[in-house]
Amino acid sequence: MLFDILKSRRSIRKFQKREVEKEKIDVILKSALLSPSSRSIRPWQFIAVTDRELIQQLSLCREPGSRFLSGAPLAIAVIADKDSSDVWIEDASIAATIIQLTAQDLDLGSCWIQVRERFHTEQKTAGEYIREVLGIPEQYSVECMIAIGYQGEEKKPYEESTLQYEKLHFDKF
Ligand SMILES: Cc1cc2nc3c(=O)[nH]c(=O)nc-3n(C[C@H](O)[C@H](O)[C@H](O)COP(=O)(O)O)c2cc1C
């Protein structure tokens, strides 16, 4: 049940050495392609990275929020053509979320690494750095990367009793 997946999904930043099977990577990528998008423009593209050296380089895109990526066997960069849609951020974020939930459904852990609006150095954005590492054409912006792998840490699922029910409103605020 999707609700159980939502409760058990936690940000996982430690991973086992074990590789993610190609079949699972394929399911995750196909799921991303099924993401809804405004006016069905589908402005996103996805780069699945399993090359250890590239993952190591990507882990340096930000300090310190991306360092843990070096221990992940798989990273998926979520990029989008920002000139093709005024809501590319929403579209890319939805796809990234679907990637995380599909990974969870496949017994994999994952964590979002924010790239848009983040910096590699004072002079270079995290997106520009990743563009260089992965050879991404100019027209695409990097929204985020999702680190994925078999969990190397345990985190408790969320309990329904701890949800912020005060944030729910019915009919009027
Ligand atoms: C938009 C967004 C950006 C995030 N950026 C990062 C990040 O750069 N690095 C990181 O380690 N976690 C990042 N996270 C993960 C959050 O820290 C995490 O989802 C939050 O603490 C709640 O924990 P949970 O995912 O276990 O429920 C991000 C999550 C979202 C939704």
Side-chain angles (χ1 to χ4, degrees):
M1 186 173 158
L2 180 57
F3 191 52
D4 292 322
I5 293 171
L6 292 168
K7 281 193 285 187
S8 57
R9 183 219 53 81
R10 299 296 313 279
S11 289
I12 297 301
R13 299 182 181 86
K14 290 193 182 120
F15 301 95
Q16 298 173 26
K17 291 241 178 298
R18 188 176 161 193
E19 285 179 8
V20 177
E21 297 84 347
K22 181 170 184 316
E23 295 73 25
K24 290 196 175 185
I25 298 175
D26 288 346
V27 172
I28 292 169
L29 293 174
K30 281 191 275 188
S31 301
L33 292 175
L34 285 165
S35 302
S37 68
S38 172
R39 290 177 282 153
S40 219
I41 288 173
R42 302 183 181 108
W44 21 248
Q45 307 236 0
F46 308 99
I47 307 167
V49 183
T50 54
D51 181 279
R52 288 241 146 257
E53 177 54 34
L54 285 176
I55 287 178
Q56 175 60 31
Q57 288 178 40
L58 290 174
S59 75
L60 304 176
C61 76
R62 280 181 51 204
E63 288 281 359
S66 60
R67 273 299 172 95
F68 70 90
L69 179 62
S70 63
L74 171 65
I76 298 180
V78 180
I79 67 173
D81 178 356
K82 67 170 190 274
D83 295 331
S84 72
S85 173
D86 56 349
V87 290
W88 68 271
I89 297 170
E90 287 86 344
D91 290 343
S93 299
I94 288 166
T97 302
I98 285 180
I99 287 170
Q100 287 202 271
L101 295 179
T102 305
Q104 185 70 28
D105 192 36
L106 295 169
D107 294 323
L108 297 164
S110 72
C111 188
W112 182 305
I113 296 168
Q114 184 64 27
V115 176
R116 191 182 58 81
E117 299 289 341
R118 296 291 180 267
F119 281 83
H120 175 61
T121 60
E122 270 183 28
Q123 292 77 32
K124 188 180 281 189
T125 67
E128 284 164 353
Y129 173 82
I130 293 168
R131 182 196 307 287
E132 285 171 14
V133 173
L134 299 180
I136 298 169
E138 276 289 323
Q139 82 218 60
Y140 295 100
S141 294
V142 184
E143 168 61 23
C144 64
M145 293 187 292
I146 306 295
I148 300 173
Y150 285 94
Q151 294 193 18
E153 63 176 332
E154 284 301 319
K155 283 196 174 173
K156 282 192 180 150
Y158 284 109
E159 287 178 24
E160 287 180 51
S161 60
T162 65
L163 297 180
Q164 296 178 305
Y165 292 103
E166 70 278 10
K167 294 193 173 169
L168 301 178
H169 309 276
F170 300 93
D171 289 336
K172 288 195 175 188
F173 187 93

